[in-house]
Structure formats: C-alpha cells, structure tokens
Amino acid sequence: MSTRRRPPPASRRPNDRADASGDPDSRGRDLVWYRYTDAATMMDDLAAALSRTLEEAVRERHRASLVLPGGTTPLPLYRRLASRPLDWPRITVLLGDERWVPTDDPASNTGAWKRAVAGTPADGAPTPSFHLPEVARPCEALEEIARRIADAPRPFDVVVLGMGTDGHVASLFPGPGLARHIDQPLVAAPPAPVPPGGGVPRISLGLPLLSDARKLILLIRGDEKRRVLTRALAEEPLEDGLPVARLVARAAARGVPIEIWWASAHEASSGAGR
Ligand code: 6PG
C-alpha cells in the first residue's frame, strides 16, 4: 500500500504546528499524524481542510457527506465549520454516534452540532437525527435509523472521530459485550460500561460504516490519548482489540487514507477552547 506524503495543513502559524510527519507509517498504512502545540490552530487548519474536501466533493459529485464525532473535543471545530460558505444543503452531516436522548437534551450530539450551527450557513445541512422519541430503546430503532442514513452519499467523504482514553471510538466501547457487535453497520450500545456521558443507552455507527469513507480522521487531544492511540496503532489488531485499532485496521485494509490530528491538552495563553 503506497504511503504517499501529503502536504501539511496550511497553518497560519507554522510554529503552532509541531509536526506534520507525513512519514511512511511503520506498518505501510496510508496514515499520517498532524501534531500541534496549539489546539485552536489545529481546529483552524482542520476546518479549512474539511471545507476543501467537502467543496471538492460537491463540485465532483453534487453532494457530500460528513460524519462528525460527539463529545467535547470537536466543539471548536463545529463552530469553525458553521461559518464556512459551503453548499451546505448538499452536504449531509451525521454524528458518528448518539446518546438515546432528545435532540434538545444537553447530552445529545446532534443537538450540540445544531446548537453550534444555529443561524449559520451550516444550519442548512441535512442532519438526520438518530433519536426516535417514540422508541424506548435504541435496539428497537435500528431499521428506522438505517433508513434515515441511507440517503447520505457513500462512501462518506470524511469520517471524523474522537477517541476515549480506553480506546473507544463513537460509542464502540472495548469489552466482550461489544466485541461481536461492532462489526454491525449500526450498534445499539447498552449503558454498561457506563460511558463518560452517563448511563443513557447509545447508538453508534459500527465499523462497516465508520470505515466506509474516502478519508478517516481521528481528532484527539492530550498526551494520554496520544499514548493510547500510538500503542493501539503499533499492535496487531485482535478480534477483542481496542475499537480504535479495529477501526484503523479495517479502514487501512480498504485503502482509506487515515489522518490523526493531535494537539496538546494545554491551552495556549491566548484562551481556552477558542
Ligand atoms: C461521544 C463521542 C465519543 C467521544 C469520545 C471522546 O458521544 O461522546 O462520540 O466517542 O468522541 O468519548 O470524547 P471527548 O472529545 O469529550 O474527550
């Protein structure tokens, strides 16, 4: 598998971009790390890179699809994407996973995106919700949710995911309870193990959908996540391996370019969470 060197992001403040290694991944995967000392600069560059990718997709295929992570890390990215002058009505936005709560619940990932883009150009992007208020449990909604996301262009133009320090991606948490489920397109994740966001059940795109992408991006911050991911990438992914390792292996096997965007957890002096 060729490991092509990609140009580093066009960071406005090169010294904030500690390293865009671009060096051949040790295991021959098309995988590159972009390392930043300043998270705000990373989010600026990532929003610009995603915008270029989506603009090209719409130009070439008249539609595009973007999968975004939930959690706290991507919130500054949402805000930067919101104001980008893209043809948003042609760009379907999906969250990689969702907590089984109404969109207006503070824990809702779709709600967090919609709140971030309210009143901006990105508010016009079709954003199918994974939550069905009339259904008590996500496992009873899989068929309807599959119908809702069926219209999103596939392969997804970009899948952006976060990662937990336990190696979970989306709502695919490590442990025997999920090891056999994560190969399903959609996964209803039980509250156990209780995820960081609390004990609500979750629903998640599974590995087949998360790896069905023209580009896979992992967006992480902090040294602990960098260590977990570095270790996961160095190991042979086992059936019961960390979900992030299984995802990267599946994407690499499909020839999906993989980018890891990492920034220190320390906020620059100019302000946290810009
Ligand atoms: C979620 C996310 C989840 C998240 C990681 C990292 O719904 O919480 O999909 O997979 O990306 O838990 O979360 P932070 O960015 O908040 O550390």
Side-chain angles (χ1 to χ4, degrees):
M1 181 148 344
S2 74
T3 302
R4 59 185 183 278
R5 189 179 294 275
R6 290 191 205 93
S11 172
R12 292 197 307 274
R13 296 186 290 272
N15 63 317
D16 288 338
R17 180 171 46 79
D19 167 29
S21 61
D23 294 329
D25 173 58
S26 59
R27 302 173 70 91
R29 297 164 293 205
D30 184 353
L31 183 149
V32 65
W33 284 79
Y34 294 121
R35 298 176 180 85
Y36 285 77
T37 55
D38 175 55
T41 305
M42 174 177 72
M43 299 296 182
D44 289 343
D45 286 356
L46 181 52
L50 291 175
S51 299
R52 286 193 298 273
T53 298
L54 294 168
E55 200 165 36
E56 182 182 316
V58 170
R59 187 170 55 247
E60 290 180 4
R61 294 181 288 276
H62 309 299
R63 293 184 66 210
S65 49
L66 170 64
V67 178
L68 288 173
T72 56
T73 301
L75 297 176
L77 176 65
Y78 293 178
R79 288 194 289 271
R80 286 160 171 81
L81 284 174
S83 57
R84 304 296 294 203
L86 298 173
D87 194 347
W88 286 104
R90 293 179 180 271
I91 300 170
T92 299
V93 174
L94 294 177
L95 277 294
D97 66 320
E98 189 53 275
R99 293 86 181 273
W100 202 247
V101 293
T103 305
D104 61 3
D105 186 302
S108 167
N109 288 334
T110 304
W113 163 254
K114 293 303 285 182
R115 287 187 288 275
V117 303
T120 71
D123 205 5
T127 311
S129 165
F130 286 2
H131 181 252
L132 283 66
E134 71 280 8
V135 176
R137 298 185 305 160
C139 58
E140 299 159 0
L142 297 181
E143 281 186 26
E144 170 54 24
I145 291 163
R147 271 194 291 277
R148 289 188 178 187
I149 64 178
D151 185 49
R154 295 268 298 284
F156 299 121
D157 287 287
V158 190
V159 171
V160 185
L161 290 172
M163 187 194 79
T165 51
D166 60 356
H168 80 259
V169 290
S171 286
L172 308 179
F173 289 87
L178 275 179
R180 61 185 177 281
H181 293 323
I182 69 178
D183 287 316
Q184 304 303 315
L186 280 172
V187 177
V194 175
V200 297
R202 294 172 171 226
I203 189 152
S204 181
L205 299 184
L207 295 186
L209 287 179
L210 291 175
S211 60
D212 186 18
R214 297 177 192 272
K215 182 185 291 182
L216 172 65
I217 291 177
L218 291 175
L219 174 62
I220 59 173
R221 286 190 62 185
D223 291 336
E224 188 179 1
K225 288 187 181 183
R226 181 172 49 82
R227 279 194 297 273
V228 168
L229 183 53
T230 302
R231 202 166 48 241
L233 293 178
E235 294 167 358
E236 195 58 39
L238 303 172
E239 182 62 23
D240 59 353
L242 293 182
V244 69
R246 301 242 348 247
L247 171 64
V248 167
R250 190 163 183 141
R254 298 174 78 158
V256 178
I258 302 163
E259 296 180 1
I260 299 165
W261 291 62
W262 173 87
S264 160
H266 307 297
E267 290 302 340
S269 57
S270 48
R274 289 179 293 141

